[in-house]
Amino acid sequence: MKFVDEATIIVEAGKGGHGCLSFRREKYVPKGGPDGGDGGDGGSVYLEAEDSLNTLIDYRFQRKHKAENGEPGAGRNCTGTKGGDLVLPVPVGTTVVDMDTHEVLGDLTRIGQRLKVAQGGFHGLGNTRFKSSVNRAPRQTTKGSEGELRNLRLELKVLADVGLLGMPNAGKSTFIRSVSAATPKVADYPFTTLVPNLGVVSVQAHQSFVVADIPGLIEGAAEGAGLGVRFLKHLVRTRLLLHLVDVAPYDGSSPADAVRVIVNELEKFSETLAGRERWLVLNKVDMVPEDEREAHCQAIIDELGWQGPVFRISALSGEGTKPLTQAVMRWIEERAEEEVENPEAAEREAERRRQMDEEARVGIEEEKLARRAAREEDEDDFDDDDDGVEVIYAPD
């Protein structure tokens, strides 16, 4: 199935049913009276998070969704039937944005969580409602109101505690295969993952975290090169970034330069995300002779001037992966405890995520505009006369 992490849809709630204008006309009943019933409420539109979905592909093909209208009222004080609500299933991790106001309506981060995105119209009143001692035969009714109509953008962000950064062929997919049961594609030639992969890392009983393999970046991604930066939005929900670096690139390039390229693209995309806690993971150390390994790794650290945590691993053989996953688990638990004990820390984290969300949207929109401008420029530069032959069309 194709991975789709963004979709635009139109949702329309149902209209409320009109009130009824009616009077009793019964044989042998000397006095009649108003008996028009109220209409029914229109159905509302909800989004509900389901764990059986992992992509928004269905909403690429069906964009308009409408709830049922309420039925009009009837005589004998009969109330119209309420329109049925429409519940649209979405993957866990979906953010809902109103495209007209740019308001974030909500985040669906738990299985079964439901969010109302369009309110159904309210019912109209029948003429019975207007009966009084001075108005015994009212002819007033009200119409049901219109249901809400909204243009929505659905944004799927994978739910992961840890995100992997790195150039293509840095070993991110191999790392996930090594520490979890996930089986992303790996090969002995350079390529980049096309969709995010998730893996659950079990450190010990009742201790686990989710790691996300984000598709590799290349230089110029913020300007639309390669896959661009749209997949970086999946890092917004992560708490920790692991920056994987190939210490022995097949093309002889500098590992330190590869780190700088990623950091540069990260800063262009979101300064807040670039400021996230990030650990340096020197991968493929088994490709360096053992007697040269420490000096080689230290040279990379010194060239970067790295001050944060550093881990040396071989994702293929599993060397060094256990200490790394244990350290990650401890760090996640410490942050969780801190937020429980200090509500201000939890609020700071929530505000940081909101800021990253906003920066991510701006970055993705700028990338789209850059791609569109590049396509238009290519069309303007297109010339049918590739051979330099001047063609003159003469009238008949």
Side-chain angles (χ1 to χ4, degrees), residues 130-356:
F130 298 93
K131 180 176 64 175
S132 69
S133 61
V134 295
N135 187 8
R136 296 176 179 275
R139 305 189 70 83
Q140 299 101 318
T141 62
T142 61
K143 294 182 178 181
S145 62
E146 296 288 328
E148 280 189 302
L149 176 67
R150 271 181 161 162
N151 298 307
L152 302 179
R153 182 171 67 248
L154 308 181
E155 302 173 349
L156 174 61
K157 304 182 187 73
V158 298
L159 297 177
D161 304 295
V162 179
L164 301 183
L165 280 176
M167 295 288 281
N169 214 42
K172 301 187 297 299
S173 299
T174 304
F175 177 76
I176 283 195
R177 292 177 71 103
S178 177
V179 300
S180 74
T183 57
K185 176 185 175 182
V186 297
D188 57 358
Y189 55 87
F191 73 97
T192 185
T193 303
L194 297 178
V195 298
N197 292 303
L198 294 179
V200 178
V201 181
S202 180
V203 178
Q204 58 184 26
H206 308 297
Q207 280 191 318
S208 62
F209 60 88
V210 180
V211 60
D213 165 19
I214 303 303
L217 295 173
I218 62 173
E219 190 170 5
E223 286 74 39
L227 294 176
V229 293
R230 69 186 184 92
F231 283 117
L232 279 178
K233 68 184 176 186
H234 294 287
L235 292 176
V236 168
R237 300 187 193 274
T238 60
R239 307 175 66 86
L240 175 66
L241 302 178
L242 298 183
H243 195 149
L244 268 68
V245 186
D246 183 353
V247 299
Y250 73 97
D251 58 359
S253 58
S254 168
D257 287 344
V259 173
R260 295 190 188 99
V261 167
I262 295 294
V263 172
N264 184 48
E265 299 302 326
L266 200 60
E267 290 174 345
K268 290 180 182 178
F269 178 74
S270 167
E271 292 185 0
T272 308
L273 181 58
R276 268 289 197 207
E277 179 78 11
R278 186 160 46 94
W279 294 358
L280 184 64
V281 181
L282 302 178
N283 189 24
K284 304 185 184 181
V285 293
D286 55 332
M287 300 296 290
V288 181
E290 191 169 352
D291 57 340
E292 302 175 11
R293 188 174 301 173
E294 182 58 33
H296 184 79
C297 292
Q298 191 60 48
I300 298 173
I301 297 170
D302 293 341
E303 186 177 350
L304 290 170
W306 190 268
Q307 300 297 321
V310 181
F311 293 84
R312 300 161 177 80
I313 71 166
S314 169
L316 185 62
S317 66
E319 177 185 348
T321 57
K322 187 173 182 178
L324 172 57
T325 55
Q326 290 174 338
V328 169
M329 191 73 253
R330 286 194 301 270
W331 188 90
I332 292 174
E333 290 178 339
E334 289 170 3
R335 299 291 83 72
E337 291 175 4
E338 179 185 1
E339 291 182 10
V340 170
E341 297 172 358
N342 185 1
E344 292 182 359
E347 180 55 35
R348 285 196 301 271
E349 174 63 20
E351 179 58 33
R352 191 177 297 116
R353 291 190 180 186
R354 285 192 289 269
Q355 182 67 25
M356 285 189 289

Side-chain angles (χ1 to χ4, degrees), residues 153 360-370 372:
R153 182 171 67 248
R361 292 190 187 96
V362 172
I364 292 170
E365 188 60 32
E366 289 177 349
E367 180 193 340
K368 289 179 180 178
L369 293 175
R372 187 176 300 120

